């Protein structure tokens, strides 16, 4: 099984940015742990602060991956383009968030991804990614 983890804007700052919300671990360090824990899964990772780069990776997923785990960050609440890209592919996408977006500012309660995602996992810290991987293994 091949899975792509896509992270959107500001997630390159994990470990530094608002550790009370996002924790103090970098995603690169956590990704190595995921690769070790899920050694039977071929995991790829891409992060970008640029919406179009995320859309291109989503559009190309049908050619290379069995599933996509997407934390679009703030684009979750603003990007119709990312939502449309997910709708356009056959590869299932699981939306993840580190924090419980419904426990935060009102604008974070809207997602343009959720209606087109296979499922949504939020509020479990970095473990949200582990749960997303497990959801593909349990299908």
């Amino acid at each position: 099984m091949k899975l792509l983890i896509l992270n959107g804007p500001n997630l390159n700052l994990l470990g530094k940015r608002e550790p009370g919300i996002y924790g103090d671990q970098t995603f690169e360090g956590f990704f190595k742990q995921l690769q070790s824990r899920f050694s039977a899964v071929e995991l790829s990772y891409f992060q970008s602060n640029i919406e179009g780069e995320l859309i291109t990776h989503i559009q190309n997923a049908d050619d290379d991956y069995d599933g996509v785990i997407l934390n679009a960050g703030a684009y979750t609440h603003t990007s119709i383009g990312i939502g449309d890209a997910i709708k356009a592919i056959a590869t299932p996408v699981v939306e993840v968030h580190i924090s419980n977006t419904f426990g935060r500012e009102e604008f974070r309660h809207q997602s343009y991804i959720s209606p087109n995602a296979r499922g949504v996992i939020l509020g479990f810290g970095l473990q949200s990614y582990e749960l997303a991987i497990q959801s593909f293994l349990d299908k």
Side-chain angles (χ1 to χ4, degrees), residues 3 10-11 15 35 37-38 49 55-57 68 89 91-92 95 100 106-108 115 120:
L3 298 176
N10 298 312
L11 289 162
Q35 288 176 307
R37 177 161 184 218
F38 296 98
N49 295 318
I55 290 170
T56 297
H57 275 74
V68 175
I89 65 171
T91 304
E95 177 184 356
N100 177 355
E106 178 106 9
F107 74 87
R108 295 187 195 275
V120 180

Side-chain angles (χ1 to χ4, degrees), residues 19-137:
I21 295 173
Y22 299 108
D24 58 4
Q25 186 174 19
T26 66
F27 195 83
E28 289 75 13
F30 179 68
F31 184 69
K32 289 177 185 172
Q33 292 174 344
L34 288 176
Q35 288 176 307
S36 177
R37 177 161 184 218
F38 296 98
S39 59
V41 178
E42 186 178 331
L43 292 172
S44 297
Y45 169 60
F46 180 77
Q47 185 279 328
S48 181
N49 295 318
I50 301 169
E51 181 179 17
E53 289 182 355
L54 296 169
I55 290 170
T56 297
H57 275 74
I58 292 166
Q59 290 174 346
N60 293 335
D62 280 343
D63 297 330
D64 297 318
Y65 298 99
D66 300 303
V68 175
I69 297 165
L70 173 62
N71 183 343
Y75 288 141
T76 301
H77 321 294
T78 63
S79 180
I80 295 167
I82 289 176
D84 285 348
I86 294 166
K87 194 181 332 182
I89 65 171
T91 304
V93 175
V94 172
E95 177 184 356
V96 300
H97 297 283
I98 296 167
S99 67
N100 177 355
T101 56
F102 291 100
R104 299 183 64 196
E105 303 93 339
E106 178 106 9
F107 74 87
R108 295 187 195 275
H109 301 181
Q110 165 68 39
S111 171
Y112 287 102
I113 294 166
S114 297
N116 304 305
R118 177 177 172 207
V120 180
I121 301 169
L122 54 89
F124 292 97
L126 291 174
Q127 187 184 8
S128 295
Y129 293 90
E130 295 176 37
L131 295 168
I133 293 169
Q134 195 62 52
S135 76
F136 284 105
L137 296 175

